[in-house]
Amino acid sequence: MENPLSQILPQALHFMSLNGSELMLLVGIMMFFGSFGGRIFQKLRIPQVVGYIVIGIIIGVSGFVLLGKDTVAALNPISTASLSLIGFLVGAELKIDVIKKYGKQFVGILIGESITPFFVVGVLTGSVTYLFTKSVAHSLSFGLILGAICAATAPAATTDVLKEYRTKGPLTTTILGIVAMDDAVALILYAIAATISAPLLGGHSVSFLAQLGAIAYDIFGSVILGLAFGFFLNLILKNIMNNDGRVLGFSLGTLFLCTGLCNSLGLDNILASMFIGFFMTNFAHPKTNAMFKLVEKFTPPIYVLFFVTVGAKLNIWIMTPFIAVIALLYVSGRTIGKTIGSRLGARLTGASESVRKYLPYCLLSQAGVAIGLSIAAGNDFSDSIGPQIMLIITATTFIVQILGPICVKYGVSKAGEVGLNITAEDLMKTAQVRDISIKGHVICRAESYTIVNDTDTVGSIISNFTHHENTNYEVRGNEGANKGKLVGQISIEHLKEAMQIGEMGEFLLAMDIMEKPRVTCQPELSLPEAYQLFSDYDTEAICVTNDSNEPQGMLEKFAVDHYIHSRIVELEHKLAKMEA
């Protein structure tokens, strides 16, 4: 079926060659509209990665062809760089203590969620193909190749959702472990399937040992190269950690140098990058761990470009009845197989209930390795099933890349792991003055215990002090033009001075000892801005008021610190309870 939008723009734009200005224009379009689409979908409570892909589809070969096939091919280095960054950050999560704790679970689930869909998809697609072709050899080969490819899970879209929703817990740990390893299983399964299918289809047969030798070279060569670059990066970084710019430069330079060597040597750049991250998080000098946060801050624009490119590659106008039926069977069988296999593996290895129930939702995305294997099938079986395999994988990638991230969000949300991977810095960025509370008491409200009237006696204020932890008070006017307005503030030092007078000090009024407010803020102020006020005015307390200058409570620095610490402890306790 021809793309009906392909005639809207001139053919010259479709096949244009990229010069410097055109490249910058296209990158700008991809990044701007990709970010815009991600934000819209985020507002709709749909993972932002879906928005990136949809924008790619609109401007790619299925839409207005701003990014044609030649253009997308020219942007392949962006995809390569993005996958290397993803592999690197996934490797950073594979800590040895986690592997020791969950290793048995990882292996059991990995085998289940890879082998089960291999058989389910193989039987379904092979059987239906036989109904169309009446050829046993053709249908058996079709089922074997599609079954092998379906074992792979795309780490990119999955990990992007985990990062967006700041997830942490047993399910998140299991997801990261599985998506890091099941691509290797898919490669082995493809080698077996291709070895069996080649003689059936009358093609050149490659021995199984030769296939396994190539896979061993790919896997072990990538691991060794990644560990070597990790060792090299550690030697450099441990002496320059006081310079963020150099740390980021050397980290990305090492990562991309390793990626370039992988491409030259025919190795897997994702696996090599993953083992750089694995080495750095487990064996490098502890102070180099700050490097991961720097690299993570660099990734968002690269991810936008990558997923827009993924969408631009997808051609949704290639459907024929046969391809449509097999594609639906492939997606259904893959989903059923991964659901049964992952749940069976989780149950046999004693995984937590959240992993058993919700892991299947997080294993649906496919992209890089699946597409790569379909291209390999296109080359290996170019005169028979190869072209059809490529069309089916392209079509199903479109489906699962849209639905996969939504399902990941559903799974981690139901597992209760959203928002658990939050640091004090993250809380500071999102919290406002109105959120601060101590032992359940909200600081910022009109009837806060940190507000006294200007006619209250020192004795009553001291009595209040003995029941609460605050050491500063806002003073509210009680009559006249200032009634209900902020007129001053009182600190513990003011109360001490009043009590030095003797018993008469208790009968002094708040207006007698208060001072003019040094600084005020409103409840909507963010905590970073509040901390800046603490610093600028060299104070430990800030008066909070509304637009009418009515006191709302006293913001004290110790209360902010207490709130942040309490939230972190609360999240840690929740996580510990989930992992118990």
Side-chain angles (χ1 to χ4, degrees):
M1 181 175 179
E2 186 179 1
N3 176 0
L5 299 176
S6 62
Q7 303 301 318
I8 296 179
L9 296 176
Q11 289 296 312
L13 185 59
H14 186 188
F15 294 105
M16 70 179 179
S17 59
L18 292 177
N19 58 36
S21 60
E22 290 169 338
L23 178 61
M24 291 305 297
L25 176 62
L26 286 176
V27 168
I29 290 172
M30 293 167 66
M31 192 172 294
F32 178 84
F33 287 103
S35 300
F36 183 71
R39 182 59 178 162
I40 290 176
F41 275 73
Q42 203 172 44
K43 287 284 188 182
L44 296 173
R45 300 185 181 277
I46 299 173
Q48 60 188 5
V49 62
V50 179
Y52 303 154
I53 295 172
V54 169
I55 292 297
I57 292 171
I58 292 172
I59 65 176
V61 297
S62 296
F64 292 101
V65 204
L66 285 173
L67 300 177
K69 292 182 179 179
D70 296 340
T71 305
V72 171
L75 295 173
N76 274 339
I78 293 174
S79 298
T80 303
S82 182
L83 291 172
S84 295
L85 287 165
I86 289 166
F88 178 70
L89 294 175
V90 168
E93 299 296 328
L94 298 180
K95 298 178 175 63
I96 289 179
D97 58 339
V98 173
I99 294 175
K100 287 180 179 178
K101 183 176 180 180
Y102 295 103
K104 178 183 175 183
Q105 178 179 312
F106 284 169
V107 173
I109 295 174
L110 178 67
I111 293 173
E113 66 89 27
S114 299
I115 302 301
T116 307
F118 170 75
F119 285 106
V120 174
V121 169
V123 170
L124 285 177
T125 58
S127 300
V128 174
T129 301
Y130 179 77
L131 296 178
F132 278 89
T133 64
K134 305 301 180 183
S135 168
V136 173
H138 191 92
S139 57
L140 179 59
S141 301
F142 215 78
L144 285 171
I145 298 298
L146 286 177
I149 293 175
C150 81
T153 304
T158 305
T159 57
D160 187 85
V161 175
L162 301 182
K163 179 182 174 184
E164 179 183 354
Y165 292 98
R166 311 307 299 264
T167 66
K168 191 174 184 179
L171 178 60
T172 298
T173 301
T174 305
I175 294 169
L176 291 171
I178 296 302
V179 300
M181 295 186 291
D182 68 356
D183 288 348
V185 178
L187 291 171
I188 295 172
L189 290 175
Y190 179 81
I192 296 171
T195 303
I196 297 173
S197 300
L200 290 176
L201 296 173
H204 176 65
S205 178
V206 179
S207 72
F208 180 58
L209 288 178
Q211 291 264 27
L212 281 185
I215 292 172
Y217 167 77
D218 189 3
I219 293 175
F220 290 107
S222 302
V223 170
I224 292 170
L225 189 65
L227 292 174
F229 270 93
F231 177 79
F232 174 67
L233 180 59
N234 176 49
L235 291 179
I236 296 175
L237 292 189
K238 66 182 181 180
N239 296 316
I240 62 168
M241 287 305 297
N242 59 339
N243 188 314
D244 289 352
R246 288 180 182 175
V247 169
L248 182 61
F250 276 113
S251 301
L252 293 177
T254 301
L255 188 61
F256 295 152
L257 181 60
C258 179
T259 300
L261 274 178
C262 285
N263 291 339
S264 299
L265 298 174
L267 298 174
D268 189 323
N269 66 292
I270 301 177
L271 193 59
S273 300
M274 187 175 73
F275 272 88
I276 296 177
F278 174 79
F279 182 93
M280 293 300 295
T281 198
N282 290 290
F283 305 109
H285 194 283
K287 68 180 182 180
T288 62
N289 288 337
M291 168 265 302
F292 290 113
K293 288 188 177 180
L294 292 175
V295 173
E296 194 170 351
K297 290 179 180 178
F298 175 81
T299 57
I302 301 296
Y303 286 176
V304 173
L305 294 175
F306 170 69
F307 287 112
V308 171
T309 304
V310 168
K313 291 178 181 178
L314 300 176
N315 189 346
I316 64 177
W317 310 105
I318 57 175
M319 286 291 103
T320 64
F322 172 70
I323 297 297
V325 170
I326 298 299
L328 289 175
L329 287 174
Y330 176 91
V331 172
S332 302
R334 183 173 181 269
T335 302
I336 294 169
K338 284 194 174 285
T339 299
I340 295 173
S342 61
R343 286 184 172 170
L344 181 62
R347 183 172 295 278
L348 292 175
T349 56
S352 65
E353 184 180 358
S354 63
V355 174
R356 293 197 300 269
K357 290 178 65 175
Y358 301 115
L359 179 61
Y361 294 100
C362 306
L363 299 175
L364 302 184
S365 293
Q366 72 173 33
V369 171
I371 291 174
L373 290 176
S374 72
I375 293 172
N379 294 329
D380 295 340
F381 307 102
S382 57
D383 296 330
S384 52
I385 64 174
Q388 293 173 319
I389 294 287
M390 292 177 65
L391 289 178
I392 290 167
I393 298 303
T394 301
T396 55
T397 296
F398 166 75
I399 298 172
V400 296
Q401 283 292 76
I402 297 296
L403 296 180
I406 298 173
C407 292
V408 173
K409 180 196 172 185
Y410 175 82
V412 293
S413 297
K414 285 293 185 180
E417 297 188 5
V418 172
L420 295 185
N421 190 20
I422 292 179
T423 64
E425 182 181 349
D426 297 323
L427 287 173
M428 287 281 292
K429 290 178 180 177
T430 57
Q432 296 179 329
V433 169
R434 68 167 73 249
D435 301 321
I436 303 301
S437 62
I438 300 179
K439 296 182 178 179
H441 296 287
V442 179
I443 298 295
C444 298
R445 59 184 182 185
E447 297 304 321
S448 171
Y449 54 79
T450 59
I451 303 173
V452 299
N453 294 317
D454 59 0
T455 54
D456 288 348
T457 64
V458 169
S460 65
I461 298 173
I462 292 176
S463 177
N464 180 55
F465 173 75
T466 60
H467 291 88
H468 301 289
E469 299 183 12
N470 55 292
T471 58
N472 293 270
Y473 300 88
E474 283 187 303
V475 182
R476 174 173 52 199
N478 200 31
E479 51 188 40
N482 290 324
K483 186 173 183 179
K485 308 294 184 182
L486 175 67
V487 294
Q489 71 180 69
I490 295 175
S491 69
I492 187 68
E493 296 302 323
H494 294 119
L495 296 176
K496 287 180 180 179
E497 291 174 3
M499 293 309 298
Q500 288 175 359
I501 300 175
E503 293 185 4
M504 292 298 296
E506 293 187 22
F507 298 100
L508 292 174
L509 302 180
M511 67 176 68
D512 298 324
I513 63 171
M514 70 182 186
E515 68 175 358
K516 184 179 179 181
R518 298 186 59 187
V519 57
T520 64
C521 71
Q522 293 192 334
E524 296 78 16
L525 189 74
S526 68
L527 292 195
E529 292 173 312
Y531 267 100
Q532 189 62 47
L533 289 179
F534 286 133
S535 175
D536 291 344
Y537 288 87
D538 189 23
T539 183
E540 296 290 316
I542 300 173
C543 295
V544 184
T545 65
N546 60 16
D547 292 334
S548 302
N549 197 36
E550 296 169 340
Q552 302 295 299
M554 203 74 187
L555 181 70
E556 297 180 302
K557 190 172 184 296
F558 94 90
V560 180
D561 294 336
H562 182 275
Y563 169 79
I564 296 294
H565 176 72
S566 298
R567 287 293 310 278
I568 293 296
V569 170
E570 178 186 328
L571 292 174
E572 289 175 349
H573 284 171
K574 185 176 181 181
L575 184 60
K577 187 176 180 180
M578 294 173 63
E579 293 178 339

